[in-house]
Amino acid sequence: MHIENNRYLLEGNVDPLKLAEKYDCPLYIYETAVMKRQYKRLMDAFDLKKLKINYACKALNNISVLRYFKSLGSGLDTVSIQEVKIGLMAGFLPEEIMFTPNCVSIEEIALAVELGVKINIDNLSILEQFGHLYPDYPVCIRINPHIMGGGNSKISVGHIDSKFGISFHQTPHIHRIIKAHDMLIEGIHMHTGSDILDIDVFLQGAEILFQVAEEFKDLQYIDFGSGFKVPYKEEDIETDIEELGEKITTRFQEFCTSYGRDLTLMFEPGKFLVSESGIFLTKVNVVKQTTSTVFAGVDSGLNHLIRPMLYDAYHKIVNISKTEGRSRIYTVVGYICETDTFGVNRKMTEINEGDILAFYNAGAYCYTMASNYNSRYRPAEVLVHEGKDYLIRRRENMDDLVKTQVVVDIFENQEVSV
Ligand SMILES: *Cc1c(COP(=O)(O)O)cnc(C)c1O
């Protein structure tokens, strides 16, 4: 979003206030131009012939968005069998879909085998069961490199991630299992968690992965996962993709030379590709002055955008109904009967009831985490592409809210219709 002639505008000069009128609030809006910019930035950062980006669709799983990424040449990273199926519906070929689940049952993995997608295994128990059932199905192995570089706050990355992946200290076990079942390992993977800022820490993880990879002779690809940070505030630093790209490119080429074959380098970003593509529009229901605070209460809450409450995520908020005039300090809150504060002491142009507030960085982990709490409808989603707006998900209605319920009269022992 940018400001022109005192108005906020989206790609192709689409006016978000007009979309708020047309589709009503609350409303999610995504811009394909931003998705494309981010996809290209990542592709251009690595000077490699064999480079594959698998969009991690848990960030934003609307099928129209998935189709757009497919048109850019992206593959798909999925974490549940349902995401795999959504990916197939969107037109991805099975071999373009990577299934990277954590702690799912062997039955769920068996379904993924039936669908023919790439499978990434992240624990020894499943690896062994898989080898027993499908010795001929090539798999990828998720390694936990326990990155602790620098001994600073990055230590927490290793800890947070400890549930994920097979520790690189356990590679002898991996080899025993693979040998016992004559399995084919086609890829090695790591995903170290979100918000990698220190490129050297990332490179240390990569070194560990290269060490592990050397011992597998049939690899097709090495997957470095994601963890690219995007800016949320003006002063935020983001992962320097260009520097990372240069360093990884050099090191990856060296590795391929010593390995004896050109492998594919893969990444699976979610946030980096879609976070900045989205804004979330809400209407101010109430401006409420208390003794210490001015609250702006909007027609949404933690049911639609839970990141601020769930992990203190910062979302920049602006009053798009007014670009000029004096500013005041507001605490922006939702309408849910819980404390659902979106932002504290935010400076923005003076708010009148009925004004539209836009939340930035609303593309990743926003709609996909939305719920029906307080029996509210989930919002509509709109995609803006080359100056045109497309409704890609309608707002829910009363029928949607109750459609899965079976209402029974427990005294008469029968179903009733309501
Ligand atoms: C969530 C996830 C991603 C995407 O992470 P971002 O921080 O959104 O880029 C990538 N790979 C796996 C396995 C994931 O679970």
Side-chain angles (χ1 to χ4, degrees):
M1 222 166 33
H2 61 281
I3 297 182
E4 210 177 288
N5 299 330
N6 291 333
R7 288 190 308 164
Y8 279 94
L9 289 175
L10 297 161
E11 146 191 6
N13 290 334
V14 173
D15 182 345
L17 285 173
K18 291 231 168 79
L19 298 186
E21 247 170 57
K22 182 171 172 185
Y23 299 104
D24 210 355
C25 285
L27 181 70
Y28 278 102
I29 303 172
Y30 314 115
E31 298 176 272
T32 56
V34 179
M35 297 174 191
K36 187 174 182 175
R37 178 194 77 201
Q38 293 295 94
Y39 184 83
K40 267 192 67 59
R41 237 185 106 190
L42 204 53
M43 287 301 281
D44 292 347
F46 299 89
D47 188 14
L48 292 165
K49 281 189 294 294
K50 290 181 162 188
L51 175 67
K52 184 80 190 170
I53 292 172
N54 292 326
Y55 166 55
C57 71
K58 74 174 188 285
L60 175 60
N61 69 359
N62 190 294
I63 290 173
S64 299
V65 171
L66 267 48
R67 286 169 58 96
Y68 184 68
F69 276 109
K70 163 106 178 126
S71 80
L72 294 178
S74 174
L76 204 65
D77 190 73
T78 58
V79 294
S80 70
I81 195 69
Q82 290 80 8
E83 283 190 354
V84 169
K85 289 178 181 173
I86 289 173
L88 292 170
M89 280 182 208
F92 285 93
L93 301 172
E95 59 268 29
E96 294 172 321
I97 299 177
M98 172 72 96
F99 181 41
T100 303
N102 173 254
C103 289
V104 304
S105 67
I106 188 72
E107 287 81 12
E108 186 167 336
I109 289 178
L111 292 173
V113 170
E114 272 171 38
L115 296 174
V117 300
K118 285 197 165 70
I119 294 175
N120 195 350
I121 293 181
D122 99 324
N123 65 81
L124 292 170
S125 166
I126 292 284
L127 184 68
E128 192 154 23
Q129 295 175 64
F130 192 95
H132 184 67
L133 291 168
Y134 311 106
D136 300 327
Y137 200 98
V139 285
C140 177
I141 293 181
R142 179 171 186 171
I143 299 292
N144 187 336
H146 306 300
I147 301 174
M148 301 243 189
N152 51 27
S153 61
K154 291 296 182 301
I155 289 171
S156 62
V157 176
H159 284 290
I160 289 168
D161 238 19
S162 58
K163 148 178 123 141
F164 300 101
I166 302 172
S167 165
F168 75 94
H169 297 300
Q170 291 178 309
T171 38
H173 289 290
I174 300 176
H175 284 289
R176 265 196 289 276
I177 293 170
I178 286 164
K179 217 169 154 205
H181 299 285
D182 201 16
M183 297 173 76
L184 185 69
I185 304 305
E186 65 169 8
I188 293 288
H189 167 275
M190 74 170 186
H191 172 63
T192 48
S194 252
D195 288 3
I196 288 192
L197 285 174
D198 188 336
I199 287 173
D200 290 330
V201 171
F202 195 88
L203 290 170
Q204 283 176 29
E207 285 309 322
I208 290 168
L209 215 59
F210 287 137
Q211 266 178 40
V212 175
E214 258 169 15
E215 302 172 35
F216 295 90
K217 295 301 170 205
D218 304 306
L219 295 183
Q220 302 291 327
Y221 55 88
I222 295 183
D223 186 337
F224 283 113
S226 178
F228 308 126
K229 184 172 162 43
V230 296
Y232 282 76
K233 302 179 194 172
E234 256 105 76
E235 67 272 20
D236 265 3
I237 21 170
E238 58 181 323
T239 309
D240 189 336
I241 295 290
E242 286 71 26
E243 186 191 345
L244 182 75
E246 242 172 68
K247 290 187 168 163
I248 290 273
T249 298
T250 309
R251 186 60 190 93
F252 192 74
Q253 279 167 339
E254 275 170 25
F255 175 80
C256 289
T257 305
S258 77
Y259 189 77
R261 202 144 41 82
D262 270 347
L263 301 182
T264 301
L265 176 62
M266 300 211 298
F267 286 100
E268 47 191 39
K271 190 188 280 184
F272 182 81
L273 294 177
V274 293
S275 176
E276 294 162 285
S277 78
I279 57 166
F280 181 51
L281 301 187
T282 62
K283 192 179 285 175
V284 177
N285 284 336
V286 182
V287 176
K288 179 173 177 175
Q289 169 97 56
T290 66
T291 41
S292 59
T293 306
V294 187
F295 288 104
V298 300
D299 62 352
S300 180
L302 61 79
N303 51 331
H304 297 151
L305 200 166
I306 200 173
R307 302 183 73 253
M309 305 86 187
L310 193 62
Y311 30 64
D312 288 330
Y314 183 95
H315 288 264
K316 181 178 159 185
I317 308 170
V318 294
N319 179 4
I320 60 168
S321 295
K322 208 181 292 149
T323 52
E324 285 195 324
R326 74 181 178 129
S327 293
R328 294 185 71 188
I329 305 287
Y330 296 92
T331 288
V332 180
V333 294
Y335 60 9
I336 290 294
C337 295
E338 303 238 0
T339 301
D340 56 347
T341 305
F342 286 119
V344 176
N345 294 338
R346 299 296 185 86
K347 191 172 170 187
M348 58 190 104
T349 48
E350 185 159 13
I351 296 174
N352 292 310
E353 290 175 357
D355 281 357
I356 307 293
L357 304 189
F359 293 65
Y360 282 68
N361 291 89
Y365 306 107
C366 291
Y367 190 94
T368 47
M369 287 193 179
S371 76
N372 291 120
Y373 187 45
N374 278 204
S375 300
R376 296 285 184 184
Y377 307 144
R378 275 176 293 189
E381 295 181 293
V382 167
L383 191 64
V384 172
H385 178 66
E386 292 179 352
K388 280 211 194 106
D389 54 281
Y390 301 86
L391 182 69
I392 56 171
R393 189 188 310 249
R394 66 162 171 80
R395 187 178 310 284
E396 286 179 328
N397 57 35
M398 205 55 214
D399 285 343
D400 294 320
L401 278 190
V402 295
K403 71 182 171 203
T404 53
Q405 295 195 40
V406 181
V407 185
V408 291
D409 186 330
I410 52 174
F411 302 106
E412 297 292 335
N413 192 25
Q414 63 184 16
E415 278 183 32
V416 285
S417 50
V418 289

